[in-house]
Amino acid sequence: MKERLMELKHEALEKVTHATDVKGLQDVRVQYLGKKGPITEVLRGMGKLSAEERPVIGQLANEVREEIANAIEQKQANLEAAALEKQLEDETIDVTLPGRPVQQGGRHLLTNIIEEIEDLFIGMGFEVAEGPEVETDYYNFEALNLPKGHPARDMQDSFYITEELLMRTHTSPVQARSMEKHEGKGPVKVICPGKVYRRDTDDATHSHQFTQIEGLLVDEHVRMSDLKGVLNAFAKQMFGEEREIRLRPSFFPFTEPSVEMDISCKMCGGEGCSVCKGTGWIEILGAGMVHPNVLEMAGYDSNKYTGFAFGMGPERIAMLKYGIDDIRHFYTNDVRFLNQFHKA
């Protein structure tokens, strides 16, 4: 038995030495150390040995098993280390290779225009005020001198959620809410940017959703000349110092008197061209003195307080400033269009 054990040891160690992968090692383990392996068979035959020989052969068998197991374990560690090294070599990343550039986006042109207008009016002492886009009929219409059934509501046909809730048609409700917060005391000096909604047919100059910026100033002794001075400063800042403005009589239910403001055409310098339709002027926004009814509904004494309000569309400002001919370009997400204005 001693000779048989030594023979098995040499066979097993030889196979371990020549094994080229982990699977081959496991086969050697099962073949020589498994329950049905030759070493186990030798141990089963120890009953035929004398009492003196049994411990000697048993100790030798255990030594052989342990030596084979250690050899397999060491070989497996070597094979796994070699496999890992090969994997690392095959999957090596050349860190000196420049990475693929990631295309970066930019700020939307409308965002730039809105923030430019905000900065301009903040510099004049106005605060930015915001309100809900889902608005009540009261704040959207009634608080602005547009009672139920008023024909001027037809100009602002909107998306109604219920009879009393709708998507706001202008940011004027924010003005009404701002005045209420001041509880009938001045001054109130806010600009109100945001999205507005009207049931309109989309074309080159109309959209069912667009942005608006409205301004409001309420205090004692506010005059029409104050409004003109603010609008004149706005026009020169946005369109150039050479721009002139004119105010034309108009109608808005929430202001009295009401005006439309035009700026001199920058394409022809006021001489008349296709852009200004030969008039030399381009309409830019609406404005007026806050109607006494609007002041009274917000809790102000219209005999003591006066104010002015104005409203403009950032899309129109951007279209005039950058020569854009279709309002839909702002919303179709065409990067060829948007990329032109990343640095605007």
Side-chain angles (χ1 to χ4, degrees):
M1 283 189 179
K2 184 177 180 180
E3 289 77 11
R4 178 58 178 161
L5 286 172
M6 297 305 294
E7 181 182 343
L8 291 173
K9 182 181 78 168
H10 291 308
E11 287 181 9
L13 294 178
E14 184 73 15
K15 290 185 178 182
V16 168
T17 301
H18 291 92
T20 58
D21 53 40
V22 175
K23 183 180 181 303
L25 277 178
Q26 294 305 318
D27 292 342
V28 174
R29 184 191 299 277
V30 172
Q31 181 181 352
Y32 289 93
L33 303 181
K35 292 182 178 180
K36 297 180 180 180
I39 296 178
T40 302
E41 290 295 326
V42 171
L43 294 175
R44 287 174 181 169
M46 288 177 61
K48 301 177 182 179
L49 299 176
S50 63
E52 294 80 10
E53 292 177 312
R54 287 176 192 168
V56 175
I57 297 301
Q59 181 180 354
L60 179 60
N62 288 332
E63 290 175 355
V64 169
R65 287 173 62 92
E66 186 176 351
E67 190 172 348
I68 294 172
N70 289 340
I72 291 173
E73 188 175 319
Q74 182 61 46
K75 182 68 174 183
Q76 181 172 340
N78 294 340
L79 288 173
E80 289 176 347
L84 177 59
E85 185 176 348
K86 185 176 185 305
Q87 181 182 4
L88 292 174
E89 184 178 342
D90 292 343
E91 298 178 2
T92 297
I93 298 175
D94 183 359
V95 295
T96 65
L97 183 68
R100 294 184 179 90
V102 177
Q103 185 175 3
Q104 294 184 335
R107 294 163 64 82
H108 196 282
L109 177 58
L110 286 182
T111 300
N112 290 337
I113 289 290
I114 290 171
E115 292 190 358
E116 184 179 355
I117 296 171
E118 288 178 348
D119 290 344
L120 191 158
F121 283 103
I122 288 172
M124 296 185 193
F126 286 77
E127 296 180 353
V128 177
E130 297 181 338
E133 293 180 20
V134 178
E135 189 54 273
T136 64
D137 183 90
Y138 174 79
Y139 283 111
N140 197 79
F141 291 124
E142 293 181 44
L144 301 171
N145 203 34
L146 282 161
K148 294 185 185 299
H150 195 292
R153 286 195 180 203
D154 295 340
M155 295 187 296
Q156 298 189 24
D157 198 5
S158 181
F159 300 97
Y160 278 83
I161 299 170
T162 68
E163 289 188 1
E164 296 300 324
L165 284 178
L166 66 153
M167 304 302 290
R168 67 182 181 188
T169 61
H170 44 191
T171 58
S172 300
V174 184
Q175 298 182 18
R177 290 177 179 272
S178 297
M179 286 191 288
E180 278 192 358
K181 287 180 181 178
H182 283 74
E183 299 179 339
K185 298 177 182 179
V188 180
K189 202 172 183 181
V190 296
I191 56 167
C192 315
K195 294 178 184 176
V196 298
Y197 306 84
R198 298 183 188 179
R199 192 177 65 81
D200 211 340
T201 301
D202 289 9
D203 57 27
T205 56
H206 297 84
S207 175
H208 65 281
Q209 172 194 301
F210 52 99
T211 58
Q212 204 174 56
I213 294 182
E214 298 194 11
L216 171 72
L217 190 154
V218 174
D219 202 353
E220 298 180 37
H221 312 301
V222 177
R223 299 165 298 181
M224 192 74 170
S225 57
D226 298 320
L227 170 62
K228 184 176 181 181
V230 168
L231 297 182
N232 187 55
F234 161 75
K236 291 183 181 300
Q237 180 69 28
M238 288 297 297
F239 298 102
E241 288 293 330
E242 67 280 9
R243 296 280 73 75
E244 300 292 334
I245 71 168
R246 73 174 184 182
L247 302 180
R248 294 179 289 105
S250 186
F251 168 76
F252 302 108
F254 28 82
T255 54
E256 180 61 38
S258 303
V259 296
E260 298 276 2
M261 187 187 94
D262 302 332
I263 62 170
S264 56
C265 179
K266 71 173 185 177
M267 302 302 294
C268 64
E271 297 296 325
C273 66
S274 60
V275 174
C276 60
K277 300 178 181 179
T279 65
W281 298 92
I282 298 176
E283 179 185 328
I284 197 72
L285 57 81
M289 300 302 292
V290 179
H291 198 291
N293 291 350
V294 175
L295 290 170
E296 295 287 346
M297 292 187 73
Y300 287 84
D301 182 354
S302 60
N303 293 316
K304 179 180 180 181
Y305 288 98
T306 53
F308 62 73
F310 56 86
M312 68 189 78
E315 287 90 345
R316 180 162 179 77
I317 302 294
M319 292 172 76
L320 292 172
K321 190 170 183 178
Y322 296 106
I324 298 168
D325 60 359
D326 195 322
I327 193 173
R328 291 170 291 192
H329 290 322
F330 295 116
Y331 305 112
T332 52
N333 297 324
D334 188 334
V335 294
R336 294 171 300 178
F337 169 78
L338 297 175
N339 283 341
Q340 300 176 66
F341 305 102
H342 282 176
K343 297 181 180 180

